[in-house]
Amino acid sequence: MKPASTPSETAGASRPRTVVVGGGLAGLAAAAALADAGLAVTLVESRRRVGGRAASFEDPLGGLVDACQHVAMGCCTNFLDLCRRAGIEGTLRRDRTLWFIGPDGARSACTPSRMLPAPLHLAPLLLGMRHFSLHERWALTRGMLRLARHGVAEGGSRQTALDWLRLAGQPERVIRLFWQPVLESALGESIDLVSVTAARKVTVDGFLAHREAADLLVPTVPLGTLFGERLAGWLATRGVEIRTGTAASAVEVDPAGRVAAVRCAGERLPCAALVVALPWRQAARLLPDVVPDADERLAGSPITAVHLWFDRDVVDVPHAVLVGRVSQWVFRAEDTAGYCQVVISASRGLLGGDRERLVDTVVGELRDVFPLACEARLLSSKVVTDPTAVLSVRPGVDAVRPQARTATPNLFLAGDWTATGWPSTMEGAVRSGRLAALEAAHSLGHAAAPLVADLPRNPLVRLLAGRG
Ligand SMILES: Cc1cc2nc3c(=O)[nH]c(=O)nc-3n(C[C@H](O)[C@H](O)[C@H](O)COP(=O)(O)OP(=O)(O)OC[C@H]3O[C@@H](n4cnc5c(N)ncnc54)[C@H](O)[C@@H]3O)c2cc1C
């Protein structure tokens, strides 16, 4: 941080000016909450469009294609609340049925019950997994219940998910064909690296806690439209000034040790409070005294999306988990004929980084399980890998994820990597932005809304997994 050339300023006599740096979901959520708290807000985003990692690119035919398919779950209460408030919730399709396609191509349509109380609502989902024997389904059920009951007292915080699953006696096939695809896609990291704490969070919050927890919320319009245009447009109607193509390059501190202004390409933006909503590396560059750049516990995990354009539709379900294969999830496009996307999490070193081989493998796997793909001709493909797509939630990482509040009284951190208790997800990002805005508003004597509560837990769930 640089010393300020002038004392701290506020723009506008009545409403203190706050600045948010970074227009990903964390920054957008922070800006919304600050505006709601009655503060003037300027958001600066270095790219041409807001949305951050939840972004789209222009496809060869001129439409917007998501760099990587993003889905939320029913348990993502703050993300869904933001979408509801912004009027974009209707563009999220709610899939209650999870499609699993086993190694032999057997399809399982797994739907949690809407009648049975949680966690019994999962019985039809677990029983529906045709690629498992009855013994394996029972082992999986026991594993989920045992993981839910697993507490810090069992010394789990240093344990990886895979270590825990093996110690808990989960059969290797159940690990490979359920835990691996489910945890790796939810956490974006391989199960031999993620902590058992993170695995437990997915199992409890994402499956057991509520009948709607495991619902998949799939955007039906490109992310660039959803967040880059509609969410940004809603923020503008709430008085948030959004400056895209504007990178913050330095933060000025006044003699009293408070942030006075942000510098962006020669321009100086005075502020009464600053929320920095950047990924940890960029945050460390802007705030070297605040964010530990070199902490090896902050590591990223890669996610790869394989975009495929066939001459006709090949995927005949809305989405599917392809278990026991290189391809992990496949998503059918809503409105682009012949287009589908395959997502592979924790894609470090995938097939030696050979893109051609990857496309051949993925297309071969689709032809194994979707008869329509056998006849179809591949017209075009594109592989997009984000090497630091998400924070790798390894054992011990929670100790270095910073809180929103910093030692500088009017400087606050947000971003999916900060201490939200959530993995690096859209929900984690929105929570972080709201938490930072709450602190920033309080620091200026304004009240801001608290986080939206998790889905309610019934007594049975509370008995099993605690209050959350
Ligand atoms: C491939 C992939 C797949 C994913 N899949 C899912 C999924 O299915 N479900 C899910 O919930 N989550 C998913 N995620 C995670 C999700 O995208 C992130 O957790 C979330 O978008 C992070 O938001 P953020 O605001 O914390 O950070 P970001 O989105 O990274 O936002 C930071 C913003 O800051 C901007 N910026 C950087 N430097 C500056 C600067 N100096 N000045 C101004 N602006 C700057 C960047 O351009 C960016 O817009 C996925 C992520 C990736 C990459």
Side-chain angles (χ1 to χ4, degrees):
M1 288 192 283
K2 304 219 174 344
S5 49
T6 57
S8 178
E9 300 167 47
T10 59
S14 53
R15 289 199 306 154
R17 163 81 40 197
T18 56
V19 172
V20 176
V21 174
L25 280 163
L28 295 167
L34 289 168
D36 283 352
L39 294 155
V41 190
T42 300
L43 181 146
V44 294
E45 162 56 47
S46 56
R47 293 193 205 152
R48 277 188 303 126
R49 203 194 282 265
V50 296
R53 273 167 276 165
S56 310
F57 62 83
E58 293 279 343
D59 86 3
L61 304 173
L64 277 183
V65 173
D66 294 342
C68 184
Q69 175 77 51
H70 275 55
V71 297
M73 292 176 77
C75 59
C76 297
T77 50
N78 282 271
F79 170 73
L80 293 175
D81 176 68
L82 179 66
C83 291
R84 191 161 33 245
R85 300 194 54 237
I88 57 176
E89 199 199 16
T91 61
L92 303 174
R93 188 186 74 224
R94 195 174 268 263
D95 288 355
R96 288 190 49 227
T97 297
L98 291 177
W99 288 89
F100 288 83
I101 302 186
D104 59 353
R107 295 181 179 204
S108 308
C110 301
T111 313
S113 165
R114 279 286 195 260
M115 311 292 286
L116 294 169
L120 303 176
H121 70 293
L122 288 179
L125 183 148
L126 295 168
L127 285 171
M129 295 200 169
R130 292 174 49 209
H131 52 285
F132 287 140
S133 66
L134 274 181
H135 169 75
E136 287 167 335
R137 285 174 235 194
W138 175 234
L140 171 56
T141 308
R142 271 191 297 117
M144 289 184 103
L145 296 176
R146 198 163 156 199
L147 187 51
R149 295 197 62 77
H150 175 79
V152 182
E154 286 179 62
S157 61
R158 304 296 314 171
Q159 222 172 8
T160 67
L162 184 59
D163 286 344
W164 186 90
L165 291 166
R166 287 199 170 135
L167 279 173
Q170 286 291 283
E172 284 300 319
R173 250 177 65 83
V174 173
I175 293 178
R176 194 167 60 85
L177 303 183
F178 179 82
W179 292 108
Q180 187 178 339
V182 167
L183 293 179
E184 289 189 357
S185 54
L187 298 170
E189 181 57 286
S190 53
I191 55 171
D192 57 339
L193 291 176
V194 294
S195 69
V196 64
T197 316
R200 180 184 183 275
K201 180 147 190 79
V202 173
T203 306
V204 174
D205 289 26
F207 285 94
L208 292 168
H210 192 276
R211 283 195 288 232
E212 290 171 15
D215 290 0
L216 270 195
L217 281 302
V218 187
T220 56
V221 297
L223 297 169
T225 307
L226 195 59
F227 305 131
E229 291 169 17
R230 299 203 190 160
L231 185 52
W234 173 72
L235 284 174
T237 64
R238 305 188 71 75
V240 174
E241 180 197 10
I242 297 182
R243 296 197 188 185
T244 52
T246 307
S249 53
V251 172
E252 287 184 6
V253 178
D254 68 16
R258 295 175 62 84
V259 171
V262 180
R263 288 214 176 263
C264 307
E267 197 184 358
R268 183 173 179 279
L269 297 177
C271 58
L274 171 64
V275 174
V276 172
L278 301 178
W280 66 96
R281 293 221 173 84
Q282 285 97 320
R285 272 199 290 279
L286 190 65
L287 306 167
D289 307 336
V290 178
V291 178
D293 184 30
D295 197 314
E296 77 278 2
R297 284 171 294 180
L298 291 176
S301 179
I303 299 180
T304 295
V306 182
H307 303 267
L308 301 168
W309 287 266
F310 289 94
D311 63 354
R312 67 198 79 177
D313 285 332
V314 299
V315 179
D316 56 4
V317 284
H319 70 260
V321 189
L322 305 182
V323 298
R325 296 176 190 270
V326 169
S327 313
Q328 292 172 348
W329 283 74
V330 60
F331 295 91
R332 182 178 71 190
E334 281 286 314
D335 50 6
T336 312
Y339 170 79
C340 66
Q341 191 187 132
V342 170
V343 179
I344 304 165
S345 297
S347 57
R348 199 175 283 113
L350 187 64
L351 300 182
D354 183 338
R355 287 173 177 237
E356 222 168 287
R357 206 172 129 220
L358 177 59
V359 171
D360 287 348
T361 304
V362 164
V363 170
E365 290 182 341
L366 293 182
R367 289 191 169 137
D368 283 346
V369 295
F370 297 111
L372 294 169
C374 297
E375 302 294 313
R377 201 160 55 86
L378 181 67
L379 302 177
S380 176
S381 67
K382 187 178 173 80
V383 177
V384 180
T385 296
D386 186 328
T388 49
V390 292
L391 177 72
S392 179
V393 282
R394 301 175 187 199
V397 77
D398 287 337
V400 279
R401 293 175 79 176
Q403 301 290 333
R405 218 190 291 189
T406 69
T408 304
N410 62 342
L411 169 65
F412 305 91
L413 294 177
D416 62 349
W417 62 283
T418 58
T420 60
W422 273 71
S424 219
T425 51
M426 296 188 287
E427 172 70 9
V430 170
R431 282 181 183 235
S432 77
R434 288 181 162 188
L435 287 170
L438 190 66
E439 296 284 357
H442 280 174
S443 77
L444 298 172
H446 284 238
L451 289 182
V452 171
D454 290 342
L455 291 173
R457 295 183 176 192
N458 67 27
L460 204 55
V461 174
R462 292 206 294 269
L463 193 69
L464 180 73
R467 291 184 172 274

